[in-house]
Amino acid sequence: MDSVEKGAATSVSNPRGRPSRGRPPKLQRNSRGGQGRGVEKPPHLAALILARGGSKGIPLKNIKHLAGVPLIGWVLRAALDSGVFQSVWVSTDHDDIENVAKQFGAQVHRRSSEASKDSSTSLDAIIEFLNYHNEVDIVGNIQATSPCLHPTDLQKVAEMIREEGYDSVFSVVRRHQFRWGEIQKGVREMTEPLNLNPAKRPRRQDWDGELYENGSFYFAKRHLIEMGYLQGGKMAYYEMRAEHSVDIDVDIDWPIAEQRVLRFGYFGKEKLKEIKLFVCNIDGCLTNGHIYVSGDQKEIISYDIKDAIGISLLKKSGIEVRLISERACSKQTLSSLKLDCKMEVSVPDKLAVVDEWRKEMGLCWKEVAYLGNEVSDEECLKKVGLSGVPADACAAAQKAVGYICKSSGGRGALREFAEHVFLLMEKVINSCQK
């Protein structure tokens, strides 16, 4: 294995040429057969997300933003927060996917061109990965297209492998669907029931349904994979909740998938809190960042009426809205917008001002939402409970954020982020009522 970069969050394995399909020599380890000295180590369980760049359906689908987060980010967050993997990897052939994987804290295996063809299978890519990672004993192959995966699912499966001795475990979902045989000319002229008696159709509550693979994950021990299997040996399924069983390969209607993720997705270890303060950077968020100067040297700015409505909706829901800028904006110009918000301009340290506002209102950081777009917003974005940036925000701000808008600054980004806040607050309220 060629290490391009060092460090848990940035190491890269880079196969050179076509990888061998045979098993490479095992490294000498203290974890088997009492080799060497030291305490026996548990088997190395690695999470592996396959994310090829050449998706034919949706270009670069694996990093397309779903509910403000790159698609692959949802499963990486769940895998890392589960705490059951000794390493979390993304196997890819694309630079942009590699950058997103590192941003979320995963390690990267640079897939060879041989394992990146349209005809290449998942098993090809997994075997290639193992050929360069002798330390790995068990692979948890997690599908990037399953954004509603939760850490608890992965924790239970790891226990099945490690404690109950299963060689392979895969995810399924229960469905209550009646199946019928396909009509084929010259072969079968009539359809036939496959899993029911039409004369005694069961009610849903009287039928257990059937189990279907949902593709969220496949865990298998090394020896099985090297024999060409992801399922085999002492084998078991893990039944996922139906609401967590979302597959973007199937749910091609992206907006519907986003609604499912916002309602049932995993948002991190810390529980969401109700937002009480919404802070927005003025230049590049409320406005598009353009400044016009009139003949008499007066400053002119523009904003989108959708964003003004967004501010109004936030205030009507009981959320305090405040505006901030490091630039010496004209307060007279801002007042003419009639947004009725407290604002602070010429701010050299935005974090200090927002912290003062937070303390003044008696809030914790988790009760604050922040929409920013510049390097000067980075610390605030990292600190608050909910953070967002417009689509055209700088790279540093995008890396620090939890939600990236589809809209640009001054073009509806504030309204979009406000809608995101409302959806998550509904999630908070629903969880409190359970």
mmCIF file of all heavy atoms in Angstrom, residues 58 64 66 246-260:
data_model
loop_
_atom_site.group_PDB
_atom_site.id
_atom_site.type_symbol
_atom_site.label_atom_id
_atom_site.label_comp_id
_atom_site.label_asym_id
_atom_site.label_seq_id
_atom_site.Cartn_x
_atom_site.Cartn_y
_atom_site.Cartn_z
ATOM 1 N N ILE A 58 -27.275 9.870 -12.353
ATOM 2 C CA ILE A 58 -27.109 11.238 -11.867
ATOM 3 C C ILE A 58 -25.607 11.503 -11.752
ATOM 4 O O ILE A 58 -24.939 10.859 -10.950
ATOM 5 C CB ILE A 58 -27.788 11.432 -10.493
ATOM 6 C CG1 ILE A 58 -29.259 11.023 -10.550
ATOM 7 C CG2 ILE A 58 -27.656 12.866 -10.013
ATOM 8 C CD1 ILE A 58 -29.957 11.017 -9.203
ATOM 9 N N LYS A 64 -23.740 14.607 -4.604
ATOM 10 C CA LYS A 64 -24.834 15.567 -4.832
ATOM 11 C C LYS A 64 -25.493 15.861 -3.494
ATOM 12 O O LYS A 64 -25.684 14.971 -2.671
ATOM 13 C CB LYS A 64 -25.850 14.968 -5.805
ATOM 14 C CG LYS A 64 -27.064 15.851 -6.072
ATOM 15 C CD LYS A 64 -27.997 15.169 -7.071
ATOM 16 C CE LYS A 64 -29.357 15.853 -7.142
ATOM 17 N NZ LYS A 64 -29.275 17.191 -7.757
ATOM 18 N N LEU A 66 -28.017 16.318 -0.690
ATOM 19 C CA LEU A 66 -29.338 15.841 -0.299
ATOM 20 C C LEU A 66 -29.658 16.468 1.051
ATOM 21 O O LEU A 66 -28.963 16.216 2.039
ATOM 22 C CB LEU A 66 -29.356 14.316 -0.197
ATOM 23 C CG LEU A 66 -30.694 13.703 0.204
ATOM 24 C CD1 LEU A 66 -31.669 13.745 -0.970
ATOM 25 C CD2 LEU A 66 -30.524 12.268 0.670
ATOM 26 N N VAL A 246 -34.305 3.855 2.896
ATOM 27 C CA VAL A 246 -34.398 4.768 1.755
ATOM 28 C C VAL A 246 -33.219 4.504 0.845
ATOM 29 O O VAL A 246 -32.065 4.553 1.273
ATOM 30 C CB VAL A 246 -34.380 6.239 2.219
ATOM 31 C CG1 VAL A 246 -34.393 7.180 1.028
ATOM 32 C CG2 VAL A 246 -35.559 6.522 3.132
ATOM 33 N N ASP A 247 -33.471 4.206 -0.412
ATOM 34 C CA ASP A 247 -32.419 3.931 -1.379
ATOM 35 C C ASP A 247 -32.550 4.905 -2.536
ATOM 36 O O ASP A 247 -33.535 4.881 -3.269
ATOM 37 C CB ASP A 247 -32.536 2.488 -1.873
ATOM 38 C CG ASP A 247 -31.354 2.079 -2.749
ATOM 39 O OD1 ASP A 247 -30.565 2.965 -3.131
ATOM 40 O OD2 ASP A 247 -31.230 0.878 -3.045
ATOM 41 N N ILE A 248 -31.550 5.766 -2.708
ATOM 42 C CA ILE A 248 -31.615 6.785 -3.754
ATOM 43 C C ILE A 248 -31.558 6.157 -5.143
ATOM 44 O O ILE A 248 -31.998 6.736 -6.122
ATOM 45 C CB ILE A 248 -30.482 7.819 -3.584
ATOM 46 C CG1 ILE A 248 -30.594 8.484 -2.211
ATOM 47 C CG2 ILE A 248 -30.542 8.886 -4.660
ATOM 48 C CD1 ILE A 248 -31.877 9.233 -1.980
ATOM 49 N N ASP A 249 -31.030 4.949 -5.266
ATOM 50 C CA ASP A 249 -31.054 4.270 -6.557
ATOM 51 C C ASP A 249 -32.488 3.970 -6.979
ATOM 52 O O ASP A 249 -32.785 3.822 -8.159
ATOM 53 C CB ASP A 249 -30.276 2.955 -6.483
ATOM 54 C CG ASP A 249 -28.780 3.189 -6.624
ATOM 55 O OD1 ASP A 249 -28.403 4.196 -7.238
ATOM 56 O OD2 ASP A 249 -28.001 2.377 -6.111
ATOM 57 N N VAL A 250 -33.358 3.870 -5.988
ATOM 58 C CA VAL A 250 -34.768 3.592 -6.262
ATOM 59 C C VAL A 250 -35.566 4.882 -6.182
ATOM 60 O O VAL A 250 -36.347 5.221 -7.060
ATOM 61 C CB VAL A 250 -35.323 2.559 -5.254
ATOM 62 C CG1 VAL A 250 -36.810 2.341 -5.485
ATOM 63 C CG2 VAL A 250 -34.566 1.242 -5.398
ATOM 64 N N ASP A 251 -35.356 5.654 -5.114
ATOM 65 C CA ASP A 251 -36.091 6.905 -4.906
ATOM 66 C C ASP A 251 -35.440 8.010 -5.729
ATOM 67 O O ASP A 251 -34.765 8.895 -5.191
ATOM 68 C CB ASP A 251 -36.113 7.283 -3.425
ATOM 69 C CG ASP A 251 -36.848 6.245 -2.594
ATOM 70 O OD1 ASP A 251 -37.652 5.492 -3.151
ATOM 71 O OD2 ASP A 251 -36.602 6.200 -1.392
ATOM 72 N N ILE A 252 -35.626 7.930 -7.064
ATOM 73 C CA ILE A 252 -34.935 8.876 -7.936
ATOM 74 C C ILE A 252 -35.532 10.274 -7.883
ATOM 75 O O ILE A 252 -34.960 11.215 -8.391
ATOM 76 C CB ILE A 252 -34.912 8.367 -9.389
ATOM 77 C CG1 ILE A 252 -36.339 8.146 -9.897
ATOM 78 C CG2 ILE A 252 -34.080 7.106 -9.516
ATOM 79 C CD1 ILE A 252 -36.406 7.766 -11.364
ATOM 80 N N ASP A 253 -36.691 10.409 -7.265
ATOM 81 C CA ASP A 253 -37.261 11.741 -7.092
ATOM 82 C C ASP A 253 -36.562 12.390 -5.906
ATOM 83 O O ASP A 253 -36.909 12.156 -4.752
ATOM 84 C CB ASP A 253 -38.766 11.641 -6.856
ATOM 85 C CG ASP A 253 -39.435 12.994 -6.881
ATOM 86 O OD1 ASP A 253 -38.751 14.011 -6.694
ATOM 87 O OD2 ASP A 253 -40.655 13.041 -7.089
ATOM 88 N N TRP A 254 -35.564 13.193 -6.184
ATOM 89 C CA TRP A 254 -34.694 13.756 -5.140
ATOM 90 C C TRP A 254 -35.469 14.554 -4.083
ATOM 91 O O TRP A 254 -35.218 14.387 -2.888
ATOM 92 C CB TRP A 254 -33.617 14.605 -5.802
ATOM 93 C CG TRP A 254 -32.329 14.651 -5.042
ATOM 94 C CD1 TRP A 254 -31.965 15.585 -4.125
ATOM 95 C CD2 TRP A 254 -31.241 13.726 -5.113
ATOM 96 N NE1 TRP A 254 -30.712 15.319 -3.636
ATOM 97 C CE2 TRP A 254 -30.241 14.177 -4.225
ATOM 98 C CE3 TRP A 254 -31.013 12.563 -5.853
ATOM 99 C CZ2 TRP A 254 -29.034 13.513 -4.057
ATOM 100 C CZ3 TRP A 254 -29.801 11.900 -5.689
ATOM 101 C CH2 TRP A 254 -28.841 12.368 -4.791
ATOM 102 N N PRO A 255 -36.416 15.424 -4.453
ATOM 103 C CA PRO A 255 -37.140 16.175 -3.421
ATOM 104 C C PRO A 255 -37.888 15.283 -2.434
ATOM 105 O O PRO A 255 -37.937 15.581 -1.237
ATOM 106 C CB PRO A 255 -38.121 17.039 -4.234
ATOM 107 C CG PRO A 255 -37.464 17.193 -5.559
ATOM 108 C CD PRO A 255 -36.781 15.878 -5.811
ATOM 109 N N ILE A 256 -38.467 14.181 -2.914
ATOM 110 C CA ILE A 256 -39.164 13.255 -2.012
ATOM 111 C C ILE A 256 -38.165 12.603 -1.072
ATOM 112 O O ILE A 256 -38.405 12.469 0.135
ATOM 113 C CB ILE A 256 -39.940 12.201 -2.819
ATOM 114 C CG1 ILE A 256 -41.085 12.861 -3.586
ATOM 115 C CG2 ILE A 256 -40.479 11.105 -1.901
ATOM 116 C CD1 ILE A 256 -41.841 11.926 -4.502
ATOM 117 N N ALA A 257 -37.019 12.193 -1.621
ATOM 118 C CA ALA A 257 -35.974 11.597 -0.793
ATOM 119 C C ALA A 257 -35.504 12.586 0.272
ATOM 120 O O ALA A 257 -35.243 12.207 1.418
ATOM 121 C CB ALA A 257 -34.802 11.155 -1.667
ATOM 122 N N GLU A 258 -35.396 13.866 -0.088
ATOM 123 C CA GLU A 258 -34.975 14.876 0.884
ATOM 124 C C GLU A 258 -35.953 14.972 2.049
ATOM 125 O O GLU A 258 -35.553 15.102 3.206
ATOM 126 C CB GLU A 258 -34.825 16.232 0.201
ATOM 127 C CG GLU A 258 -33.579 16.348 -0.654
ATOM 128 C CD GLU A 258 -33.337 17.760 -1.147
ATOM 129 O OE1 GLU A 258 -34.326 18.466 -1.447
ATOM 130 O OE2 GLU A 258 -32.163 18.162 -1.251
ATOM 131 N N GLN A 259 -37.242 14.926 1.754
ATOM 132 C CA GLN A 259 -38.245 14.995 2.817
ATOM 133 C C GLN A 259 -38.137 13.793 3.746
ATOM 134 O O GLN A 259 -38.277 13.918 4.965
ATOM 135 C CB GLN A 259 -39.650 15.079 2.213
ATOM 136 C CG GLN A 259 -39.925 16.359 1.436
ATOM 137 C CD GLN A 259 -39.733 17.608 2.282
ATOM 138 O OE1 GLN A 259 -40.240 17.710 3.391
ATOM 139 N NE2 GLN A 259 -38.983 18.563 1.760
ATOM 140 N N ARG A 260 -37.867 12.622 3.166
ATOM 141 C CA ARG A 260 -37.702 11.417 3.981
ATOM 142 C C ARG A 260 -36.490 11.554 4.900
ATOM 143 O O ARG A 260 -36.541 11.199 6.081
ATOM 144 C CB ARG A 260 -37.522 10.196 3.070
ATOM 145 C CG ARG A 260 -38.746 9.794 2.256
ATOM 146 C CD ARG A 260 -39.717 8.941 3.053
ATOM 147 N NE ARG A 260 -39.154 7.697 3.497
ATOM 148 C CZ ARG A 260 -39.071 6.576 2.776
ATOM 149 N NH1 ARG A 260 -39.495 6.577 1.511
ATOM 150 N NH2 ARG A 260 -38.582 5.463 3.292
#
